[in-house]
Amino acid sequence: LTHAGVREPALELMIYHNEEYSDEDIHMEAAVALSKADAKKPADQPQDRVRLRELPACADVASTIHNGTLYDIPRAIVAVFAGMGRHGYRSAGPIRELHLRWRELDITDEEMAHGSTRVIEIQVPAVRG
């Protein structure tokens, strides 16, 4: 992205493609949000490694803001699914993890060892039923 002249993205996100929550065999991708201007710049990368796409819009999304350690993110995801179940919703697409206050590559071994607090929004597209 830097080689293509893209400014540093404002938002990182992880997209979990598993149909339901899972502790193992997680199919996920790392992504960054781009401005419309940056999205039009050519990416000089192999197509199998970097792709440009727009996430589909969602009419309903169940979400929570997680203020805590990286190790507690699964608990936040489970809480969203539990709330959806209580209110008659089910998942309608990939789980989105938006990094509101921190960057994946900024984390240090020291922070990992001491469980530094992060602010992350968990979003799950939802439908009734």
Side-chain angles (χ1 to χ4, degrees):
L1 293 173
T2 302
H3 184 70
V6 173
R7 290 171 280 152
E8 188 167 322
L11 182 69
E12 291 181 344
L13 59 148
M14 303 301 281
I15 303 168
Y16 299 84
H17 293 283
N18 297 56
E19 294 279 325
E20 295 182 4
Y21 177 77
S22 175
D23 279 334
E24 52 189 40
D25 298 323
I26 300 170
H27 176 213
M28 63 190 294
E29 69 181 296
V32 293
L34 298 177
S35 69
K36 288 188 180 197
D38 280 341
K40 292 179 182 177
K41 294 178 180 177
D44 193 17
Q45 298 287 329
Q47 291 302 313
D48 62 329
R49 293 188 45 114
V50 176
R51 287 182 278 169
L52 180 65
R53 65 185 173 93
E54 187 172 336
L55 290 177
C58 307
D60 293 310
V61 174
S63 71
T64 190
I65 302 293
H66 169 70
N67 289 290
T69 68
L70 295 175
Y71 299 110
D72 290 333
I73 292 172
R75 291 177 52 199
I77 295 171
V78 168
V80 172
F81 276 95
M84 288 170 58
R86 280 192 306 275
H87 296 286
Y89 284 86
R90 62 180 174 78
S91 175
I95 300 167
R96 301 170 185 186
E97 173 187 301
L98 288 71
H99 300 172
L100 302 178
R101 196 187 64 168
W102 75 287
R103 291 189 174 285
E104 191 77 34
L105 294 178
D106 291 344
I107 195 161
T108 65
D109 290 338
E110 176 78 15
E111 289 174 307
M112 285 296 286
H114 294 94
S116 180
T117 298
R118 304 295 183 198
V119 180
I120 297 163
E121 181 175 1
I122 303 296
Q123 299 178 346
V124 180
V127 294
R128 281 253 184 225

